[in-house]
Amino acid sequence: MNLEFYKYQGTGNDFVLIDNRTSFFPKENREIINTLCNRNFGVGADGLILLENDETTDFKMVYFNADGNESTMCGNGGRCIVAFAHQLNVIEHKTTFNAIDGLHHATINNGIVSLQMIDVNDVQQKNGYVFTDTGSPHHVELVENIESFDVYNKGKQIRNDVYGTEGSNVNFVEQLNSNSFRIRTYERGVENETLACGTGATAAAIAMHTIDKTEDRDINIEVEGGKLSISFDVEGDSYRNIFLTGPAKFVFKGQIEI
């Protein structure tokens, strides 16, 4: 089959996007998805995203990790599919769409996508780290000298030894100033460090607010691939009206034989 695909990236987090509104794509075939995401034998991406029809919203987002498994929510992927839907003329500048973790609202203006994330009601302060779920599970840990930190080996160890087979994404954070942080993320499913992680940036911002490293509710997050911003409201121990904002860029369109 000759497959038409689109490549997008959000702060270096890159994705293969496919218009699957006719339901032609064999999404049960993990090998095809893995090959498409493979940087040596396929297009190369951190994940694959299908845009599908939805009965009640503008579209449905179906996300697969690079290993071929359908996964939990991807924040940068969510921003990229909004840009993709805009390019396909499925939406104009505002949208509501469905994903594995429920409804999401978003806007796109001049290539900047602001995506509403799910509410976060459970932020667990552990011994030396914070754990929370922002659509995907995230371990958040403060470190020093993040530039030289061994993200791959330390992240892999925590992902497997602490969280077992199901795993967790692992974020290492260094504070830059009162409302700015730098993070590096080891992503499960990719099983490597990625240049950005949207749900991870969201988790890091919430974690830093929870442990009183910042009083701000508009937080800047520097990732390896650029800059993201997180805003939220606080109601008791819960975080509401959470928005992940940053660029989502079309890279190229192509065809590949699968």
Side-chain angles (χ1 to χ4, degrees):
M1 179 172 67
N2 202 30
L3 175 70
E4 182 177 87
F5 69 88
Y6 296 72
K7 180 76 175 283
Y8 275 80
Q9 62 89 6
T11 53
N13 218 180
D14 61 340
F15 307 95
V16 172
L17 286 108
I18 295 169
D19 181 357
N20 195 40
R21 285 177 289 173
T22 58
S23 300
F24 73 93
F25 186 81
K27 54 188 177 183
E28 74 287 344
N29 192 321
R30 290 175 52 191
E31 184 178 353
I32 286 177
I33 297 168
N34 179 253
T35 299
L36 286 169
C37 293
N38 189 288
R39 299 189 185 279
N40 298 109
F41 298 101
V43 181
D46 292 327
L48 180 141
I49 305 173
L50 303 178
L51 186 149
E52 299 187 340
N53 290 317
D54 188 68
E55 292 182 358
T56 58
T57 67
D58 293 324
F59 59 88
K60 180 181 179 181
M61 170 185 174
V62 183
Y63 175 68
F64 298 87
N65 279 326
D67 62 6
N69 291 308
E70 187 172 358
S71 187
T72 47
M73 182 58 184
C74 176
N76 286 327
R79 295 191 305 100
C80 284
I81 201 172
V82 170
F84 182 44
H86 180 69
Q87 181 174 344
L88 294 178
N89 294 314
V90 173
I91 66 167
E92 292 187 2
H93 296 289
K94 293 183 179 181
T95 185
T96 301
F97 68 92
N98 238 324
I100 194 167
D101 61 342
L103 292 179
H104 290 267
H105 304 287
T107 60
I108 177 170
N109 291 287
N110 299 317
I112 302 298
V113 177
S114 187
L115 173 68
Q116 187 174 25
M117 308 296 283
I118 63 168
D119 293 343
V120 174
N121 301 311
D122 184 21
V123 185
Q124 302 173 28
Q125 297 186 54
K126 304 287 188 176
N127 183 21
Y129 66 93
V130 174
F131 178 82
T132 191
D133 193 313
T134 53
S136 289
H138 282 278
H139 173 111
V140 181
E141 185 173 319
L142 272 168
V143 299
E144 296 180 351
N145 302 315
I146 196 169
E147 181 71 34
S148 58
F149 193 82
D150 188 357
V151 171
Y152 176 78
N153 286 306
K154 185 64 174 174
K156 182 178 181 180
Q157 178 189 1
I158 293 171
R159 177 254 190 268
N160 290 293
D161 293 352
V162 178
Y163 298 99
T165 303
E166 185 176 345
S168 173
N169 302 288
V170 182
N171 306 272
F172 301 103
V173 183
E174 185 171 56
Q175 186 157 15
L176 302 178
N177 56 47
S178 62
N179 73 332
S180 298
F181 300 85
R182 182 177 174 188
I183 75 167
R184 295 175 65 186
T185 302
Y186 180 95
E187 285 200 50
R188 67 171 187 172
V190 180
E191 304 308 334
N192 208 338
E193 182 180 4
T194 56
L195 293 179
C197 177
T199 54
T202 305
I206 289 172
M208 294 302 102
H209 185 270
T210 297
I211 63 174
D212 298 323
K213 292 299 179 180
T214 181
E215 296 180 353
D216 283 44
R217 299 181 184 186
D218 290 281
I219 296 174
N220 301 312
I221 300 289
E222 291 189 12
V223 296
E224 294 299 280
K227 296 181 179 181
L228 295 166
S229 62
I230 316 296
S231 63
F232 48 74
D233 295 326
V234 182
E235 297 179 10
D237 294 330
S238 298
Y239 291 82
R240 302 275 190 266
N241 202 32
I242 304 166
F243 279 88
L244 167 69
T245 302
K249 296 184 178 181
F250 170 67
V251 182
F252 61 85
K253 174 183 177 182
Q255 292 184 336
I256 187 170
E257 196 73 28
I258 63 171

